[in-house]
């Protein structure tokens, strides 16, 4: 009996590898997926804060197996003449070979710069961060926030997990204490008494920000990626699902239910117009779930 069960499992696995689309469509016809999820349900999601001690803010986000580690490093820069009272944001998305068998050492991943650009556009266009909060001295000094996101496991819906990790990392961010020295330059204050005593040029001047502070986050963006296949809509796809069904839709909404942006790849836009409306409705439900997770971490 055990040998028959094993034989059956081998046959199913072989069928899945040889005819992946037919395998999935058999499940879809019963409104289920191979991982037993309903079509419109996202995977379990968790967020942990402050895992990178050397960063000014960090977070680990997991959606199913997809795992993202975000870290923020703050550096002082000279603001541009066009925006003398604004800081800046630089986003870099990394896909090391450890994240997926399809990522090869030494070869750039095409998806990485695309996701970097989308993350930057989303964070800035949503208004989540007021760049004026990053100003230190008008026209002379402001903060540059370097956001690096490392994909540790690429099992689908990469943008969704990356955006979630970025939002959580900014909620964890503590802007360092800095001061003006005698030469008019911005210098960091470490908080170590002995070190401050050895640097009189710092202690003579009052700190620009007297204590570490948090950013005020508004209109927090969250996203949901869906696959459109025939008459089916699959929310939060796995990497396997993405590899065999080529129409992807990503809906980005903010915490007040306003559309931030929308991305679609593959398929015919007109043919899927009604399905796209359904994706937006699924995204609204997903944003509520994510807001609840973020709310448990006291993210406004």
């Amino acid at each position: 009996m055990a040998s028959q069960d094993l034989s059956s499992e081998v046959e199913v696995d072989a069928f899945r590898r040889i005819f992946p689309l037919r395998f999935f469509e058999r499940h879809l016809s019963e409104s289920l997926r191979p991982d037993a999820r309903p079509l419109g349900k996202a995977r379990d999601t968790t967020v942990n804060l402050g895992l990178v001690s050397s960063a000014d803010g960090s977070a680990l986000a997991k959606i199913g197996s997809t795992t993202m580690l975000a870290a923020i490093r703050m550096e002082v820069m000279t603001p541009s003449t066009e925006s003398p009272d604004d800081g800046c944001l630089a986003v870099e998305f990394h896909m090391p070979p450890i994240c997926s068998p399809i990522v090869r050492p030494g070869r750039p991943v095409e998806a990485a710069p695309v996701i970097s650009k989308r993350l930057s556009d989303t964070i800035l266009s949503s208004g989540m961060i007021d760049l004026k909060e990053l100003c230190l001295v008008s026209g002379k000094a402001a903060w540059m926030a370097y956001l690096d996101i490392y994909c540790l496991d690429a099992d689908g819906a990469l943008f969704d997990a990356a955006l979630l990790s970025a939002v959580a990392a900014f909620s964890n961010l503590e802007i360092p204490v800095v001061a003006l020295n005698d030469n008019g330059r911005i210098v960091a204050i470490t908080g170590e008494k002995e070190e401050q005593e050895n640097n009189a040029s710092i202690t003579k001047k009052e700190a620009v920000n007297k204590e570490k502070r948090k950013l005020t986050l508004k209109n927090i963006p969250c996203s949901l990626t869906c696959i459109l296949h025939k008459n089916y809509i699959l929310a939060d796809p796995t990497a396997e699902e993405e590899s065999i069904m080529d129409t992807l839709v990503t809906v980005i909404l903010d915490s007040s239910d306003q559309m931030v942006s929308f991305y679609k790849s593959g398929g015919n836009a007109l043919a899927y117009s009604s399905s796209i409306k359904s994706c937006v409705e699924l995204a609204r439900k997903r944003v509520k779930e994510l807001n609840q997770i973020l709310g448990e971490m006291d993210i406004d």
Side-chain angles (χ1 to χ4, degrees):
M1 189 70 177
S3 62
Q4 290 180 350
D5 291 342
L6 180 60
S7 176
S8 177
E9 289 179 12
V10 171
E11 290 177 2
V12 170
D13 185 60
F15 181 78
R16 182 173 188 164
R17 285 186 285 106
I18 298 171
F19 304 106
L21 188 55
R22 287 174 59 188
F23 174 82
F24 270 86
E25 287 180 338
R26 284 189 178 183
H27 287 79
L28 298 182
S29 64
E30 299 178 6
S31 297
L32 280 176
R33 294 149 85 167
D35 60 8
R37 275 189 293 157
L39 303 190
K41 183 174 176 57
R43 293 168 289 178
D44 291 341
T45 302
T46 59
V47 177
N48 297 98
L49 301 179
L51 299 183
V52 182
S53 60
S54 59
D56 296 305
S58 62
L60 181 78
K62 293 190 67 174
I63 299 179
S65 296
T66 300
T67 306
M68 300 287 171
L69 178 64
I72 303 171
R73 177 172 49 88
M74 304 296 289
E75 287 190 6
V76 177
M77 64 158 199
T78 302
S80 66
T81 54
E82 294 81 11
S83 303
D85 298 319
D86 290 359
C88 282
L89 169 68
V91 180
E92 194 74 32
F93 181 75
H94 309 268
M95 292 188 70
I98 192 176
C99 76
S100 170
I102 66 172
V103 178
R104 301 293 183 222
R107 296 183 183 179
V109 182
E110 292 182 4
V114 174
I115 294 177
S116 295
K117 180 67 164 57
R118 288 181 178 179
L119 286 168
S120 180
D121 290 347
T122 297
I123 293 171
L124 294 175
S125 65
S126 68
M128 180 180 80
I129 298 171
D130 182 358
L131 294 179
K132 295 189 183 304
E133 275 199 64
L134 299 179
C135 180
L136 288 167
V137 180
S138 179
K140 294 183 178 180
W143 287 111
M144 166 70 84
Y146 290 96
L147 170 63
D148 286 283
I149 300 176
Y150 297 87
C151 180
L152 305 183
D153 193 334
D155 189 24
L158 302 187
F159 178 85
D160 299 348
L163 179 59
L164 181 60
S165 72
V167 169
F170 273 109
S171 78
N172 180 245
L173 174 65
E174 290 189 331
I175 298 179
V177 179
V178 292
L180 283 170
N181 67 10
D182 286 342
N183 298 321
R185 296 178 62 86
I186 294 287
V187 291
I189 297 179
T190 65
E192 295 293 335
K193 183 178 179 181
E194 296 80 3
E195 193 165 329
Q196 290 191 37
E197 289 175 348
N198 291 332
N199 196 337
S201 63
I202 294 177
T203 55
K204 287 180 182 177
K205 299 291 182 179
E206 189 172 345
V208 177
N209 28 313
K210 299 179 181 180
E211 58 185 16
K212 289 186 177 182
R213 61 183 176 90
K214 310 282 281 186
L215 283 178
T216 303
L217 302 185
K218 301 177 181 178
N219 306 320
I220 294 172
C222 295
S223 65
L224 176 68
T225 296
C226 297
I227 281 180
L228 307 184
H229 179 69
K230 295 183 178 179
N231 296 322
Y232 304 110
I233 300 175
L234 287 71
D236 180 28
T238 63
E240 184 179 16
E241 290 169 337
E242 290 181 348
S243 69
I244 59 177
M245 306 177 203
D246 62 357
T247 304
L248 283 174
V249 170
T250 300
V251 180
I252 307 168
L253 304 174
D254 66 21
S255 48
S256 59
D257 206 30
Q258 297 299 307
M259 178 81 74
V260 176
S261 54
F262 175 90
Y263 299 104
K264 178 180 174 295
S265 62
N268 184 314
L270 296 177
Y272 289 105
S273 59
S274 61
S275 296
I276 288 174
K277 292 179 181 178
S278 298
C279 290
V280 174
E281 290 305 311
L282 286 173
R284 288 198 172 103
K285 295 178 181 178
R286 178 59 170 163
V287 167
K288 290 180 180 178
E289 294 175 3
L290 295 176
N291 283 336
Q292 184 175 356
I293 293 172
L294 296 173
E296 291 172 356
M297 299 183 297
D298 296 324
I299 300 177
D300 295 328

